[in-house]
Amino acid sequence: MRLVNRTFDELRPGDTAELKRLITPDDLYVFAASSGNYNPMNLPNGDLDGDGQPEQMAAGMFIASLISAVLGTHLPGPGTVLRYQSLTYHIAACAGDELLCQVTVLEKLADGGVRLKTEVTRPADAALILSGEAIVQAPQIKFDRDNQHIPGLIVQRHRHFDALLERARPLPALPTAVVCPDDANALGGALLAASQSIITPILIGHADAIHAAGKALGADLSGFEIIDVPGDDVAAAAMACQLVHEGRALAVMKGHLHTDDLLRPMVDRDRGLRVGRKFTHVFLMDVPGLPEPVMVTDAAINIAPDLMTKVDIIQNAIDLALSLGMDPRVGVLSAVETINPAIQSSIDAALLSKMAERGQIKGGQVEGPLAMDNAVDMAAARTKGLTGGVAGRANILVVPGIDAGNMLAKQLAYISHAEGAGLVLGARVPVILNSRSDSPMARLASCAVAALHHFAAKTV
């Protein structure tokens, strides 16, 4: 970015400069965080009047800051010091509005000050948003520099999950067997999804413990079916499988129990939920700043998958991506992007890439081996001379084993502030698999992903 100012001697009455700016929802979050103004009216998700529609009004001083941007970068530019400003607001501006800020020199003052007319309009309908005047101390020293670098900001907002929820809400609520929802997180996540009509929970486990969890949450469970299973957690999971076979449940959701106990009845040859492929786990990660969600697989079930298990891992992930409307681009990860006979994951990756090329894996592009950097960063891919449709833009990351997958998913969650929706694929129905520490948003998003996947598969 090049910045050039106009010194006091260079300025003339009538000189003008302008700046166009589209107000985005992220702008409202950034201004709230930097100013401390958390007025719900000025936030993207605030609904002050309770009509169900957020106002999303830009704060008055945010609009005024556009004037500061013109004064400090264009007219007079770098070195300008604001001495006085008057502001008259005429109508509100909201997220989605494109504004035009104009500054015009009115007169030069004897003390080195400059008086300017300031105005903000909305060009779409010529509406006047703000008017006023400013007096500034104009720069005396010429400034003309290029390559001004400002660190970027990433708003920790999970817009991809928000979009998935919007797509899931109009669908019929998915009857879901919730296994052992006997603590606040497990029960709360199911009730949250039910409140948004994404699932219809069938609560399975010790009825007394489920009612106690509901009481702790202050939740009324009278409208939900509760199936009392007096045995252990495995017995509750087996009941969930039975409900699936009876057609009463179209998804299963993990509650407060170990994953092994949940899955053990599902892999039973006669009464389980096997349908051909191996069970595999996918984390769908909404990473702030990325243009689309990213899948990490397998991070929870297959400890050290062999080649044919990785085929199922990839095919399940591709099928899920297609059901969510994504263009599946599978990066099979290794420590290096070249084949090294001493690194088994690099050999597997190359074989998987060739298998996809020959039609043994269908529905998406598969490339490997790729290292993490050149799988997700285009500049890194170009540096290594990698071409094709996946390198630098992979949205499905296939890890060598559960260690790498678990670490990668948790790094994204705890360092990059991602939310992760967890799903087990390869079963007769989607299995919603969350960690006991997952947030309500993660549980809600997992239910939305399960619903979208189920109804997409039903229409194929």
Side-chain angles (χ1 to χ4, degrees), residues 52-382:
Q53 297 295 322
E55 288 80 14
Q56 298 196 73
M57 288 174 50
M61 295 312 293
F62 171 79
I63 298 173
S65 72
L66 302 181
I67 297 172
S68 294
V70 178
L71 295 174
T73 59
H74 299 289
L75 185 72
T80 299
V81 177
L82 182 65
R83 287 168 32 183
Y84 165 84
Q85 188 170 10
S86 66
L87 304 168
T88 300
Y89 294 89
H90 301 277
I91 62 172
C94 301
D97 288 342
E98 183 179 55
L99 302 185
L100 175 65
C101 180
Q102 294 176 305
V103 170
T104 303
V105 175
L106 296 176
E107 66 172 318
K108 297 170 68 174
L109 307 177
D111 61 356
V114 179
R115 188 167 67 91
L116 307 103
K117 175 185 175 182
T118 58
E119 190 173 82
V120 179
T121 59
R122 187 170 55 211
D125 57 1
L128 180 62
I129 306 295
L130 180 155
S131 62
E133 288 190 1
I135 297 176
V136 302
Q137 193 71 31
Q140 300 291 331
I141 300 172
K142 188 66 179 176
F143 185 97
D144 185 347
R145 294 182 194 170
D146 205 350
N147 298 321
Q148 296 296 305
H149 175 70
I150 303 296
L153 295 176
I154 295 177
V155 176
Q156 294 174 22
R157 186 159 68 98
H158 301 101
R159 67 186 76 227
H160 304 308
F161 279 179
D162 290 342
L164 290 174
L165 290 170
E166 288 301 313
R167 289 175 52 199
R169 287 189 184 102
L171 298 172
L174 191 67
T176 302
V178 186
V179 183
C180 300
D182 51 20
D183 80 333
N185 280 346
L187 180 60
L191 297 183
L192 178 61
S195 71
Q196 302 204 24
S197 302
I198 293 173
I199 68 170
T200 299
I202 304 169
L203 308 177
I204 304 171
H206 291 246
D208 290 345
I210 294 171
H211 281 295
K215 184 177 180 180
L217 286 172
D220 180 9
L221 302 184
S222 59
F224 298 99
E225 181 179 3
I226 299 176
I227 299 178
D228 184 29
V229 179
D232 58 13
D233 292 347
V234 175
M239 175 59 70
C241 293
Q242 181 179 326
L243 295 184
V244 171
H245 285 293
E246 293 172 357
R248 295 175 56 193
L250 299 178
V252 176
M253 183 176 185
K254 177 188 173 186
H256 188 234
L257 76 165
H258 289 292
T259 299
D260 288 346
D261 291 338
L262 176 71
L263 297 181
R264 190 174 303 136
M266 295 183 185
V267 299
D268 182 87
R269 187 175 300 276
D270 299 319
R271 292 175 293 177
L273 302 181
R274 285 188 181 275
V275 290
R277 291 185 201 151
K278 292 189 176 181
F279 286 7
T280 68
H281 180 269
V282 173
F283 272 123
L284 182 73
M285 310 296 295
D286 186 343
V287 186
L290 292 189
E292 62 182 334
V294 173
M295 293 184 186
V296 177
T297 185
D298 183 330
I301 294 180
N302 293 285
I303 296 173
D306 59 18
L307 180 67
M308 296 314 296
T309 301
K310 288 179 181 178
V311 171
D312 285 351
I313 287 171
I314 292 173
Q315 193 64 66
N316 284 340
I318 288 175
D319 291 350
L320 177 61
L322 291 172
S323 69
L324 300 178
M326 297 170 60
D327 173 24
R329 299 184 299 275
V330 182
V332 188
L333 299 182
S334 184
V336 292
E337 67 283 342
T338 54
I339 300 169
N340 185 333
I343 303 177
Q344 184 61 44
S345 60
S346 74
I347 299 173
D348 286 354
L351 292 171
L352 292 164
S353 180
K354 180 58 71 173
M355 292 172 77
E357 186 181 307
R358 298 288 172 88
Q360 292 174 267
I361 300 172
K362 303 179 185 297
Q365 301 177 73
V366 180
E367 289 186 17
L370 293 173
M372 182 65 188
D373 57 346
N374 48 59
V376 298
D377 183 80
M378 191 63 73
R382 289 197 186 106

